[in-house]
Amino acid sequence: MIKLRVLVASLVLGAAGCNMGSLPPKPPQLPTAHLYTVGPMGSVSVIREWQLPGTTLPASFNFDCPTEAAVIATAVDPGGRVAVGNTAGRIEVYAASLAATSTPTATFQNGTASTVGQMTFNTFGALVVATSGFSINLFAPPFSNATTPAQTLTNGNFIMATGVAVDSSANLYVTNATIPGTIFADVIMLASPYTGAATVAQPQANVIYGAAAIVGTQLLVLAKTTLGSQVDVYNIPLTAGAPPAFSFAAITTPTFYASITSDPSGRVYIGDPGAGGVDIYNPPYSASSVQAQFLNTQASLPALATGP
């Protein structure tokens, strides 16, 4: 049974290197229409659904769906399933067509990890979750209360694996946070099916790397610095030893739990916990990129994602 779960995970996560005839069916691919923000509300957290901001910001959110306390990560799959994870390493998955009355269809732990880092779904519905430690957990659908990691990726370059992103070629990107004065922050790329050697970008001193998002052939990584926050932008796929192509200033109230996501138009959303909202940036990106809009979400925001 364990071997079967690992095989399924390899298929759904390492699609690029497999015979397409052997792959499981993709979940429904629905248009991206909403921004999901997750933040504390009293003793619990709430998943708040917004119409995807365009040139005009939405006047209000659509609804709140209560979830558990201390949520710090969220992801939405192409079919509309929503996952959240909290500081105790607990993951909840909600069925598509989220509503104010939705309850989790599955609740399980992030393997043996005591917390969660960033999480993301790939186009085959597999959930990829960082541990903020030495590994990345892969969870294969269908999800249930008995779900355990179908595969755990370890690599000698994972030190504080915090951010995860998967590109259109199924390459997996992992951001290492940092241990100030000891280990520099960096980005690691594992090509599908993730069994080969890692490609490691140039280590960066005096920053803490967090969540990441992909826009076209660019990987945008949130970086907390001694002076504030910035977004380090890498060209992808990575080449060994490559530094960021450029950086631009980001949120003025930095926090390790800030999050970043993008939509199909290339617009980028950065959670600004101190300001209680989302900073929105428009493409194309350069060293002179600045915030284009601010969405007041009326709550501190450790997590956000876009989806159907």
Side-chain angles (χ1 to χ4, degrees):
M1 187 66 174
I2 292 175
K3 290 182 178 179
L4 177 60
R5 287 201 301 266
V6 171
L7 174 61
V8 171
S10 297
L11 290 175
V12 297
L13 239 30
C18 297
N19 182 333
M20 290 302 293
S22 68
L23 291 173
K26 289 185 179 182
Q29 309 288 297
L30 302 178
T32 298
H34 297 105
L35 173 69
Y36 297 86
T37 63
V38 184
M41 189 68 67
S43 61
V44 299
S45 296
V46 296
I47 307 169
R48 184 164 284 177
E49 183 192 84
W50 305 77
Q51 290 303 119
L52 197 66
T55 54
T56 302
L57 294 176
S60 183
F61 56 91
N62 296 337
F63 59 81
D64 278 343
C65 175
T67 185
E68 59 186 0
V71 168
I72 55 173
T74 190
V76 182
D77 82 358
R81 278 183 302 196
V82 178
V84 297
N86 76 356
T87 54
R90 191 162 52 253
I91 297 169
E92 293 185 342
V93 178
Y94 294 77
S97 301
L98 188 75
T101 56
S102 294
T103 56
T105 57
T107 301
F108 50 90
Q109 288 295 124
N110 188 19
T112 59
S114 60
T115 188
V116 298
Q118 189 177 12
M119 57 174 59
T120 188
F121 284 100
N122 72 0
T123 57
F124 290 89
L127 182 62
V128 187
V129 187
T131 63
S132 294
F134 299 98
S135 60
I136 303 294
N137 284 323
L138 283 53
F139 298 92
F143 306 109
S144 72
N145 291 345
T147 290
T148 57
Q151 190 175 6
T152 296
L153 299 177
T154 57
N155 187 283
N157 296 289
F158 295 169
I159 305 298
M160 293 182 67
T162 301
V164 289
V166 180
D167 70 16
S168 60
S169 298
N171 295 312
L172 173 64
Y173 299 88
V174 178
T175 66
N176 271 327
T178 185
I179 300 175
T182 305
I183 297 173
F184 292 169
D186 58 18
V187 178
I188 300 105
M189 183 187 78
L190 291 173
S192 171
Y194 316 133
T195 55
T199 299
V200 184
Q202 182 187 82
Q204 301 297 299
N206 302 316
V207 298
I208 299 175
Y209 271 179
I214 290 174
V215 175
T217 57
Q218 294 180 320
L219 179 75
L220 286 73
V221 181
L222 281 181
K224 183 178 178 181
T225 71
T226 55
L227 300 177
S229 286
Q230 65 190 36
V231 176
D232 284 357
V233 181
Y234 291 84
N235 293 322
I236 57 173
L238 284 181
T239 55
F246 59 88
S247 303
F248 61 86
I251 54 178
T252 56
T253 49
T255 171
F256 184 70
Y257 288 129
S259 53
I260 183 171
T261 191
S262 61
D263 69 21
S265 75
R267 190 178 292 112
V268 165
Y269 306 84
I270 300 177
D272 192 338
V278 177
D279 299 331
I280 304 173
Y281 294 76
N282 293 332
Y285 300 104
S286 68
S288 58
S289 289
V290 295
Q291 175 187 320
Q293 295 171 298
F294 176 77
L295 176 63
N296 182 0
T297 56
Q298 305 157 35
S300 176
L301 286 176
L304 67 159
T306 58

